[in-house]
Amino acid sequence: MAALKYAGLEDTDSEEELPPGWEERTTKDGWVYYANHLEEKTQWEHPKSGKRKRVAGELPYGWEQETDENGQVYFVDHINKRTTYLDPRLAFTVEDNPVKPTTRQKYDGNSTAMEILQGRDLSGKVAIITGANSGIGFETAKSLALHGVCVILACRSPARGDAAVQRILEEWHKAKVEAMTLDLASLQSVQHFAEAFKSKNLPLHMLICNAAVFGAPWSLTEDGLESTFQVNHLGHFYLVQLLEDVLRQSSPARVVVVSSESHRFTEIKDSSGKLDFSLLSPSKKEYWAMLAYNRSKLCNILFSNELNRRLSPHGVTSNSVHPGNMMYSSIHRSWWLYTLLFTLARPFTKSM
């Protein structure tokens, strides 16, 4: 009883009644959490019952959900002309008590980004996503933005970047999204992007290296390097180096490098087993688009592993990820045959 009195829990009889100093709130996607004003902390579990809850159903007619300047959700009753921080659906909550899955069963090929982020309030976090105007990058940017993250869409085309921002704002007009120009085929552009981001004096909690080209014909960048190698790997490598100090200062932070299972089908060693760096940026005569892509993805993984070894002691983790085989995005646009193959595989692969 002494412990209950100290926690302020002995003053109420009902298991569902909140102790003095506690307040019930909801996130943007309907999950209930509890604010302890005395200790200035929040938690998902009810302070007495230990249960997790979510609100059920849609908002009543005439109500609208908004977010204030501090990122806290409030509700507008347009019929009675009033606002409140109390979700009108809190009288109709349902208990969240799923069967606890094993690690292998928690997510599968049918999981969506919104399902994985469900119940998470990521307000105050900042993310940069390269190639975020379409495909995997756009879906990642949208999902994070709808959960409160300030998202920078780093795109080669300013017009397509701005269009992607508008698509996200149409879903939630309070989303914190911005497009910035980044051309990974230009190391100078990478440098300018990093400088422009740093000038905003923002933290950086997530750097998602997603942009890539696939099946592209041989060409050299303005830096004199083969394009697939520079866009898929070297441009991201340079970007991470330029933003490493911000990532460290923002810890805990993470770098996510989108790689591919196809990294297994290549090698960057010569016949004697030594690293052959000429394979990374080959001449036109020795170029094969698929091999160039595979090698760039292998470089992604080697880079991510070493980056994690160096930065994880400083609170910055790095992971590489295989998003799924032959996902139908715009990555196959370089050649009609690739488009045909991806179209045939589309019914059997994960959707955007």
Side-chain angles (χ1 to χ4, degrees):
M1 291 300 294
L4 286 174
K5 185 175 182 180
Y6 178 80
L9 303 182
E10 93 292 2
D11 294 329
T12 58
D13 296 323
S14 170
E15 187 184 58
E16 297 302 320
E17 190 174 351
L18 288 172
W22 287 82
E23 180 187 357
E24 197 172 35
R25 296 177 179 173
T26 55
T27 63
K28 287 184 284 293
D29 51 352
W31 289 87
V32 179
Y33 68 101
Y34 303 92
N36 183 343
H37 295 294
L38 301 177
E39 298 181 12
E40 296 185 346
K41 68 177 185 178
T42 61
Q43 62 188 54
W44 294 110
E45 297 81 13
H46 190 286
K48 292 186 69 178
S49 68
K51 296 176 181 178
R52 290 193 178 202
K53 293 185 176 184
R54 56 186 174 85
V55 295
E58 301 294 326
L59 285 169
Y61 177 75
W63 286 81
E64 184 180 8
Q65 180 178 284
E66 297 284 353
T67 305
D68 64 19
E69 58 186 13
N70 297 317
Q72 187 174 337
V73 176
Y74 68 96
F75 302 87
V76 181
D77 180 358
H78 292 290
I79 296 176
N80 297 306
K81 308 296 184 199
R82 63 191 180 98
T83 63
T84 176
Y85 283 90
L86 191 68
D87 191 325
R89 298 169 294 176
L90 281 172
F92 306 100
T93 58
V94 294
E95 186 177 341
D96 177 48
N97 188 27
V99 176
K100 209 166 188 178
T102 65
T103 303
R104 290 180 62 83
Q105 295 173 328
K106 192 170 186 180
Y107 304 120
D108 59 24
N110 295 314
S111 300
T112 67
M114 294 297 283
E115 288 172 349
I116 292 169
L117 290 173
Q118 187 178 40
R120 298 180 183 271
D121 184 2
L122 300 176
S123 300
K125 301 295 184 182
V126 178
I128 292 175
I129 306 174
T130 67
N133 59 278
S134 63
I136 298 169
F138 175 76
E139 294 300 329
T140 305
K142 180 181 73 173
S143 300
L144 290 176
L146 293 180
H147 285 79
V149 178
C150 172
V151 183
I152 305 294
L153 286 72
C155 308
R156 180 172 58 86
S157 166
R160 287 197 288 268
D162 290 338
V165 166
Q166 290 306 311
R167 287 167 62 193
I168 295 173
L169 290 174
E170 286 172 6
E171 294 213 23
W172 185 39
H173 68 284
K174 297 283 189 177
K176 298 176 182 178
V177 284
E178 177 186 355
M180 292 178 62
T181 303
L182 171 64
D183 184 359
L184 292 163
S186 165
L187 296 180
Q188 185 179 56
S189 174
V190 175
Q191 184 178 6
H192 288 166
F193 173 88
E195 291 171 351
F197 176 77
K198 287 183 175 181
S199 70
K200 296 178 179 292
N201 295 315
L202 290 172
L204 179 57
H205 304 101
M206 298 170 243
L207 174 53
I208 302 175
C209 302
N210 161 78
V213 293
F214 170 81
W218 183 87
S219 65
L220 293 179
T221 66
E222 65 182 47
D223 303 296
L225 296 162
E226 189 277 312
S227 296
T228 299
F229 171 63
Q230 179 165 335
V231 171
N232 293 7
H233 172 63
L234 194 62
H236 284 127
F237 180 97
Y238 188 39
L239 178 64
V240 173
Q241 305 310 305
L242 293 174
L243 296 177
E244 180 182 330
D245 56 338
V246 186
L247 286 164
R248 287 195 188 206
Q249 293 163 10
S250 308
S251 66
R254 66 178 59 189
V255 177
V256 177
V257 183
V258 180
S259 183
S260 170
E261 190 75 10
S262 63
H263 79 277
R264 300 180 185 278
F265 309 112
T266 189
E267 189 55 88
I268 53 174
K269 295 178 180 179
D270 59 22
S271 56
S272 65
K274 294 182 180 180
L275 287 175
D276 185 355
F277 292 105
S278 65
L279 295 173
L280 299 180
S281 184
S283 64
K284 186 175 183 178
K285 182 180 178 181
E286 298 172 326
Y287 179 78
W288 182 27
M290 195 68 215
L291 268 182
Y293 178 80
N294 294 353
R295 286 169 181 154
S296 70
K297 298 290 102 179
L298 177 57
C299 288
N300 286 163
I301 292 173
L302 295 173
F303 166 59
S304 179
N305 289 352
E306 179 62 16
L307 185 70
N308 188 71
R309 188 185 71 82
R310 296 189 184 193
L311 295 190
S312 57
H314 304 283
V316 182
T317 59
S318 179
N319 296 94
S320 54
V321 57
H322 170 54
N325 290 313
M326 298 186 72
M327 292 182 66
Y328 195 88
S329 65
S330 58
I331 197 171
H332 51 73
R333 63 185 179 274
S334 298
W335 190 24
W336 67 268
L337 181 57
Y338 288 131
T339 300
L340 175 62
L341 292 174
F342 274 77
T343 302
L344 293 174
R346 189 173 188 176
F348 312 101
T349 59
K350 191 173 176 71
S351 71
M352 284 298 107

